[in-house]
């Protein structure tokens, strides 16, 4: 063994770091606070919902989405063995070929003007070409976007396309997306559709989100859509842990990775000489000190901020930025609805532009099994599909007059999400919901004494946040960072960014240890 590495956190970043280190003959120990691996990417069963040897109904923090421009994460997935797959877990990704966009009338909740179903890839047939070309006409005729406003937005996109990375960093890091697209001076239709899209896609408030980050992501999506043969939208062919995370954990264990669950990091101890001397772990109600040669922190930014000590700041003042970034989080949490019949839908995601709570959704069973097969494997045999929904705006009043954060119960949140979905998808009906288990809200959302709390928020890059973000290699020689707040080319809180950050941390360990 080349040395012992302790990894704090067992999500995508932690598992990615463990993967790279174990394959390079390091001894690896992972401490994960949760009861299952995967962090925010995990899926899990709803207890008590299975009968007759079926599995519990699947639930998750939010649905998984693998854009075609991901490079680092697919490489890791390819190296996770999976029975019958030539390229491991990567072969469990399937293309979502369509995207359904539903546009709501500004200022008139409950009224939807138009539905578009677009190819989620480079057009490969004449009908797909016609559909793509008709989009501009629908947006101007049905939705009411003025041609002049569309021309202006196109000019903004063209400026992104013709600017080098350095220029975008210099001119856009200090501007919000709202400012960059001049949304404040444009009509409500422009604000509602083009201005609000980042909120729906990545929970980013366009008023404060970095134009550099959102511009970079927009470019990657556009390049992906114009690249023949590569789907811009891919999803897994089953619940995340079943077809990805659990096989990953099994592989790591074959590489002698030790994985501890229910193990919370309580403190990171730094010596007077500027090295980490151990981490305090609480597991099963007991505290203990764990030591290693190197430490990789993959914890989310709001959790890592509580572990940065004054002594650590003495040796690496850049870690102070983590404490500031901890306040740069928004909420993007999921809820699943269990339906007793298949509902006609696009073969891909739904985007509800203009929906008060910025919803996106995916009918999952169509990607997992043929019709009716889902019922044979999950629940009590009557659930035919799962409608998995992400709620990305918790601060705007819904059709019930309340923001999601103002709701008095988890049920009230679920009822309002369902009401917004039915408004835009008339095929949905209350009778479709399973009578015993109609929905499951992300357990990270809790209502305590009438206050809605979120234990797993999402980092969103704000204006001028790049300078606050640390590198994977810190100035403390044996401490490394691998999380979505670390500086990466991906530049957005995603699974891809977590994987890239883990690779950077491992490269730094190789360099520090003299192995690389």
């Amino acid at each position: 063994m080349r040395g012992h590495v302790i990894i704090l956190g067992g999500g995508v970043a932690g598992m990615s770091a463990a993967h790279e280190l174990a394959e390079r003959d390091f001894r690896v120990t992972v401490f994960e606070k949760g009861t299952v691996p995967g962090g925010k990417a995990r899926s899990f069963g709803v207890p008590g919902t299975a009968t007759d040897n079926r599995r519990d109904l699947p639930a998750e923090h939010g649905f998984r989405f693998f854009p075609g421009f991901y490079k680092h994460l697919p490489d890791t997935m390819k190296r996770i063995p999976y029975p019958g797959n030539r390229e491991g877990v990567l072969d469990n990704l399937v293309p979502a070929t369509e995207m359904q966009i539903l546009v709501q009338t500004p200022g008139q909740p409950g009224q939807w003007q138009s539905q578009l179903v677009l190819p989620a890839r480079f057009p490969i047939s004449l009908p797909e070409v016609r559909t793509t070309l008709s989009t501009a006409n629908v947006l101007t005729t049905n939705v009411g976007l003025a041609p002049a406003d569309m021309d202006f937005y196109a000019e903004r996109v063209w400026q992104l396309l013709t600017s080098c990375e350095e220029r975008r960093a210099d001119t856009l890091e200090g501007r919000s997306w709202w400012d960059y697209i001049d949304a404040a001076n444009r009509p409500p239709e422009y604000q509602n559709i083009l201005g609000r899209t980042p909120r729906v896609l990545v929970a980013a408030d366009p008023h404060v989100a970095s134009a550099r980050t959102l511009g970079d992501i927009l470019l990657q999506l556009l390049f992906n859509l114009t690249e023949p043969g590569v789907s811009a939208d891919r999803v897994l062919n089953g619940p995340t842990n079943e077809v990805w995370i659990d096989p990953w954990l099994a592989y790591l264990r074959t590489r002698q990775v030790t994985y501890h669950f229910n193990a919370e990091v309580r403190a990171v101890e730094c010596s007077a000489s500027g090295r980490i001397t151990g981490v305090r772990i609480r597991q099963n109600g007991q505290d203990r000190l764990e030591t290693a040669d190197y430490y990789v922190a993959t914890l989310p930014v709001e959790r890592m901020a509580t572990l940065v000590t004054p002594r650590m700041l003495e040796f690496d003042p850049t870690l102070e930025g983590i404490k500031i970034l901890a306040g740069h989080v928004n909420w993007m949490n999921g809820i699943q609805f269990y339906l007793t019949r298949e509902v006609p839908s696009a073969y891909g995601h739904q985007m509800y532009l203009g929906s008060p709570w910025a919803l996106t959704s995916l009918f999952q069973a169509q990607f997992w099994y043929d019709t009716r097969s889902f019922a044979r494997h999950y629940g009590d045999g009557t659930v035919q599909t799962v409608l998995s929904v992400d709620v990305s705006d918790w601060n705007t009043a819904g059709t019930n007059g309340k923001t999601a954060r103002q709701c008095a119960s988890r049920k009230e949140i679920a009822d309002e999400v369902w009401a917004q979905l039915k408004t835009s998808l008339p095929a949905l009906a209350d009778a479709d919901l399973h009578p015993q288990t109609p929905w499951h809200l992300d357990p990270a959302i809790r209502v305590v004494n009438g206050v809605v709390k979120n234990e797993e928020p999402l980092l969103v890059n704000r204006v001028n946040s790049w300078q606050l973000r640390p590198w994977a290699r810190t100035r403390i020689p044996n401490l490394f960072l691998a999380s979505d707040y670390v500086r990466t080319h991906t530049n957005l809180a995603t699974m891809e960014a977590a994987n890239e950050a883990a690779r950077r941390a491992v490269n730094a360990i190789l360099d520090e240890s003299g192995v690389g």
Side-chain angles (χ1 to χ4, degrees), residues 8 31 263-268 279-282 299 303 307:
L8 309 178
F31 293 101
E264 181 183 5
V265 183
R266 304 288 290 180
V268 177
V279 291
R280 294 208 168 271
I281 303 294
R282 174 168 293 177
L299 302 168
R303 180 71 187 107
L307 299 175

Side-chain angles (χ1 to χ4, degrees), residues 152 155-156 159-160 163 167-186 190 204-216 461-467 491:
F152 177 79
E155 183 274 328
R156 296 282 81 189
Q159 181 171 317
L160 293 172
S163 298
R167 182 183 178 188
R168 293 199 303 273
D170 181 61
T171 61
L172 299 183
E173 176 64 24
R175 297 182 71 179
S176 71
W177 183 252
W178 196 257
D179 176 59
Y180 179 70
I181 65 171
D182 194 35
N185 298 313
R186 302 283 160 176
Y190 181 95
D205 181 350
H207 297 85
V208 298
S210 164
R212 174 190 179 186
T213 292
L214 297 182
D216 285 350
N461 296 337
R462 296 187 183 180
V463 170
N464 289 323
S465 63
W466 179 262
Q467 62 192 8
N491 196 24

